[in-house]
Amino acid sequence: MESYIDASRIAAKVKEIALQINEEYKGKVPIFIGVLNGAFMFLSDLIREITLDCEVDFLKLSSYGDSQISSGDIKMLKALNCQVKDRDIIVVEDIIDSGLSIKYMKTLIENENPRSLKIAALLFKKNVSNLDFKIDYTGFEIENEFVVGYGLDHAQKYRNLKGIYVL
Ligand code: IMP
Ligand code: MG
Protein backbone atom coordinates (compact mmCIF):
# COMPACT_ATOMS: atom_id res chain seq x y z
CA MET A 1 0.00 0.00 0.00
CA GLU A 2 1.15 3.48 -0.86
CA SER A 3 0.77 6.36 1.62
CA TYR A 4 -1.56 9.01 0.21
CA ILE A 5 -2.45 11.46 3.01
CA ASP A 6 -0.63 11.21 6.30
CA ALA A 7 -2.15 11.60 9.77
CA SER A 8 -0.78 15.09 10.37
CA ARG A 9 -2.25 16.48 7.13
CA ILE A 10 -5.60 14.91 8.00
CA ALA A 11 -5.52 16.42 11.52
CA ALA A 12 -4.74 19.89 10.16
CA LYS A 13 -7.57 19.67 7.63
CA VAL A 14 -10.06 18.42 10.22
CA LYS A 15 -9.20 21.40 12.45
CA GLU A 16 -9.64 23.78 9.53
CA ILE A 17 -13.13 22.39 8.75
CA ALA A 18 -14.14 22.49 12.44
CA LEU A 19 -12.99 26.10 12.74
CA GLN A 20 -15.19 27.05 9.80
CA ILE A 21 -18.18 25.21 11.31
CA ASN A 22 -17.60 26.84 14.72
CA GLU A 23 -17.70 30.22 13.01
CA GLU A 24 -20.70 29.57 10.75
CA TYR A 25 -22.93 27.92 13.38
CA LYS A 26 -22.43 30.38 16.25
CA GLY A 27 -25.54 30.40 18.45
CA LYS A 28 -26.88 27.22 16.80
CA VAL A 29 -26.95 23.62 18.01
CA PRO A 30 -26.26 21.52 14.92
CA ILE A 31 -26.79 17.77 14.67
CA PHE A 32 -23.83 15.97 13.13
CA ILE A 33 -25.01 12.89 11.26
CA GLY A 34 -22.20 10.43 10.67
CA VAL A 35 -22.55 7.92 7.88
CA LEU A 36 -21.49 4.51 9.13
CA ASN A 37 -19.15 2.84 9.00
CA GLY A 38 -16.58 4.85 7.09
CA ALA A 39 -17.12 8.28 8.66
CA PHE A 40 -16.76 7.25 12.31
CA MET A 41 -13.15 8.38 12.63
CA PHE A 42 -13.55 11.67 10.76
CA LEU A 43 -16.69 12.43 12.80
CA SER A 44 -15.03 11.68 16.13
CA ASP A 45 -11.99 13.84 15.35
CA LEU A 46 -14.16 16.61 13.88
CA ILE A 47 -16.54 16.97 16.81
CA ARG A 48 -13.64 17.11 19.28
CA GLU A 49 -12.67 20.37 17.55
CA ILE A 50 -16.22 21.71 17.76
CA THR A 51 -16.73 24.30 20.50
CA LEU A 52 -20.50 24.67 19.97
CA ASP A 53 -23.22 22.73 21.72
CA CYS A 54 -24.03 19.97 19.28
CA GLU A 55 -25.66 16.57 18.93
CA VAL A 56 -24.53 13.43 17.15
CA ASP A 57 -26.44 10.72 15.35
CA PHE A 58 -25.63 8.06 12.79
CA LEU A 59 -27.15 6.42 9.80
CA LYS A 60 -25.91 3.48 7.88
CA LEU A 61 -26.23 2.75 4.19
CA SER A 62 -24.88 -0.08 2.16
CA SER A 63 -24.26 -0.22 -1.55
CA TYR A 64 -20.74 -1.61 -2.03
CA GLY A 65 -20.56 -4.95 -0.26
CA ASP A 66 -16.96 -6.05 -0.66
CA SER A 67 -16.64 -4.61 -4.13
CA GLN A 68 -14.71 -1.45 -5.04
CA ILE A 69 -17.48 -0.21 -7.32
CA SER A 70 -20.91 1.03 -6.24
CA SER A 71 -23.77 -1.24 -7.23
CA GLY A 72 -26.04 1.79 -7.27
CA ASP A 73 -28.54 -0.16 -5.22
CA ILE A 74 -28.57 1.68 -1.89
CA LYS A 75 -30.04 0.07 1.20
CA MET A 76 -30.67 1.74 4.53
CA LEU A 77 -29.23 -0.48 7.24
CA LYS A 78 -29.73 1.92 10.17
CA ALA A 79 -32.15 4.84 10.17
CA LEU A 80 -31.78 8.10 12.08
CA ASN A 81 -32.91 8.34 15.70
CA CYS A 82 -33.06 12.12 15.89
CA GLN A 83 -35.78 14.61 14.96
CA VAL A 84 -34.53 16.45 11.89
CA LYS A 85 -37.42 18.88 11.53
CA ASP A 86 -36.35 22.52 12.01
CA ARG A 87 -32.82 21.52 13.02
CA ASP A 88 -29.46 22.44 11.51
CA ILE A 89 -28.04 19.23 10.08
CA ILE A 90 -24.46 18.53 9.05
CA VAL A 91 -23.99 15.19 7.28
CA VAL A 92 -20.49 13.82 7.79
CA GLU A 93 -19.23 11.46 5.06
CA ASP A 94 -15.87 9.78 4.61
CA ILE A 95 -15.74 9.97 0.84
CA ILE A 96 -17.88 10.97 -2.13
CA ASP A 97 -17.30 8.70 -5.09
CA SER A 98 -20.20 8.22 -7.52
CA GLY A 99 -22.27 10.58 -5.35
CA LEU A 100 -25.17 8.13 -5.19
CA SER A 101 -25.06 7.70 -1.42
CA ILE A 102 -24.96 11.40 -0.67
CA LYS A 103 -27.79 12.13 -3.14
CA TYR A 104 -29.89 9.46 -1.42
CA MET A 105 -29.18 10.89 2.05
CA LYS A 106 -29.78 14.47 0.99
CA THR A 107 -33.25 13.57 -0.31
CA LEU A 108 -33.99 11.48 2.76
CA ILE A 109 -33.09 14.28 5.17
CA GLU A 110 -34.67 17.09 3.14
CA ASN A 111 -37.96 15.17 3.21
CA GLU A 112 -37.97 15.69 6.98
CA ASN A 113 -37.69 19.48 6.63
CA PRO A 114 -34.52 20.46 8.46
CA ARG A 115 -33.89 24.19 8.99
CA SER A 116 -30.62 23.75 7.12
CA LEU A 117 -28.58 20.94 5.65
CA LYS A 118 -24.86 20.97 4.92
CA ILE A 119 -22.47 18.23 3.95
CA ALA A 120 -18.92 17.62 5.15
CA ALA A 121 -16.85 15.04 3.28
CA LEU A 122 -13.24 14.29 4.10
CA LEU A 123 -12.51 13.06 0.58
CA PHE A 124 -13.98 13.89 -2.79
CA LYS A 125 -13.09 11.94 -5.91
CA LYS A 126 -12.98 14.65 -8.53
CA ASN A 127 -13.04 12.37 -11.57
CA VAL A 128 -16.10 10.36 -10.68
CA SER A 129 -18.45 12.68 -8.89
CA ASN A 130 -21.26 14.15 -10.89
CA LEU A 131 -23.40 16.10 -8.45
CA ASP A 132 -26.00 18.78 -9.01
CA PHE A 133 -25.36 20.31 -5.58
CA LYS A 134 -22.22 21.39 -3.76
CA ILE A 135 -20.37 19.75 -0.91
CA ASP A 136 -20.10 22.48 1.73
CA TYR A 137 -16.94 21.29 3.49
CA THR A 138 -14.43 19.16 1.60
CA GLY A 139 -11.18 17.88 3.07
CA PHE A 140 -9.22 16.70 0.05
CA GLU A 141 -10.03 16.28 -3.63
CA ILE A 142 -8.42 13.05 -4.75
CA GLU A 143 -7.83 11.19 -7.99
CA ASN A 144 -9.96 8.23 -9.01
CA GLU A 145 -8.17 5.75 -6.74
CA PHE A 146 -9.54 3.31 -4.20
CA VAL A 147 -8.27 4.45 -0.81
CA VAL A 148 -8.32 2.90 2.65
CA GLY A 149 -7.50 3.90 6.22
CA TYR A 150 -8.80 6.54 8.65
CA GLY A 151 -12.17 4.80 8.76
CA LEU A 152 -12.25 3.71 5.12
CA ASP A 153 -12.22 0.01 4.40
CA HIS A 154 -11.78 -2.54 1.74
CA ALA A 155 -13.80 -5.65 2.62
CA GLN A 156 -14.02 -4.25 6.20
CA LYS A 157 -10.22 -4.10 6.68
CA TYR A 158 -7.79 -1.18 7.14
CA ARG A 159 -10.24 1.16 8.93
CA ASN A 160 -7.82 1.38 11.86
CA LEU A 161 -4.94 2.97 9.91
CA LYS A 162 -4.06 6.50 11.03
CA GLY A 163 -3.42 7.76 7.51
CA ILE A 164 -4.99 7.25 4.10
CA TYR A 165 -3.44 4.81 1.64
CA VAL A 166 -3.99 3.79 -1.96
CA LEU A 167 -4.77 0.12 -2.09
P1 IMP B 1 -20.73 6.75 -3.57
O1 IMP B 1 -22.17 6.43 -3.30
O2 IMP B 1 -20.24 6.08 -4.83
O3 IMP B 1 -20.42 8.22 -3.56
O4 IMP B 1 -19.87 6.04 -2.46
C1 IMP B 1 -19.89 6.47 -1.19
C2 IMP B 1 -19.46 5.40 -0.21
O5 IMP B 1 -18.70 4.34 -0.80
C3 IMP B 1 -18.55 6.03 0.79
O6 IMP B 1 -19.30 6.51 1.89
C4 IMP B 1 -17.61 4.93 1.16
O7 IMP B 1 -18.12 4.20 2.26
C5 IMP B 1 -17.56 4.03 -0.06
N1 IMP B 1 -16.36 4.32 -0.88
C6 IMP B 1 -16.30 5.02 -2.04
N2 IMP B 1 -15.05 5.13 -2.50
C7 IMP B 1 -14.27 4.49 -1.60
C8 IMP B 1 -12.84 4.27 -1.50
O8 IMP B 1 -12.00 4.69 -2.33
N3 IMP B 1 -12.43 3.55 -0.41
C9 IMP B 1 -13.28 3.08 0.54
N4 IMP B 1 -14.61 3.28 0.50
C10 IMP B 1 -15.11 3.96 -0.57
MG1 MG C 1 -17.64 1.94 3.11
Side-chain angles (χ1 to χ4, degrees), residues 85-152:
K85 190 171 158 43
D86 298 332
R87 298 296 305 269
D88 296 300
I89 306 294
I90 303 173
V91 173
V92 181
E93 253 287 33
D94 52 357
I95 186 165
I96 313 254
D97 184 344
S98 68
L100 289 170
S101 313
I102 197 66
K103 270 186 199 165
Y104 176 93
M105 281 181 286
K106 190 170 183 276
T107 307
L108 190 100
I109 293 169
E110 274 172 353
N111 284 342
E112 295 190 39
N113 302 310
R115 179 159 67 184
S116 69
L117 173 59
K118 286 197 178 188
I119 300 160
L122 182 67
L123 303 171
F124 184 89
K125 286 193 196 173
K126 57 184 170 196
N127 293 331
V128 206
S129 303
N130 173 26
L131 292 178
D132 50 7
F133 53 89
K134 72 176 167 65
I135 304 303
D136 305 277
Y137 310 102
T138 305
F140 303 93
E141 283 201 2
I142 66 169
E143 300 302 324
N144 185 19
E145 314 249 33
F146 197 84
V147 292
V148 298
Y150 196 70
L152 290 121

Side-chain angles (χ1 to χ4, degrees), residues 36-39 61 64-65 94-95 146 151-154 156 159:
L36 294 171
N37 292 340
L61 304 180
Y64 276 37
D94 52 357
I95 186 165
F146 197 84
L152 290 121
D153 73 303
H154 177 244
Q156 300 307 326
R159 294 192 195 277

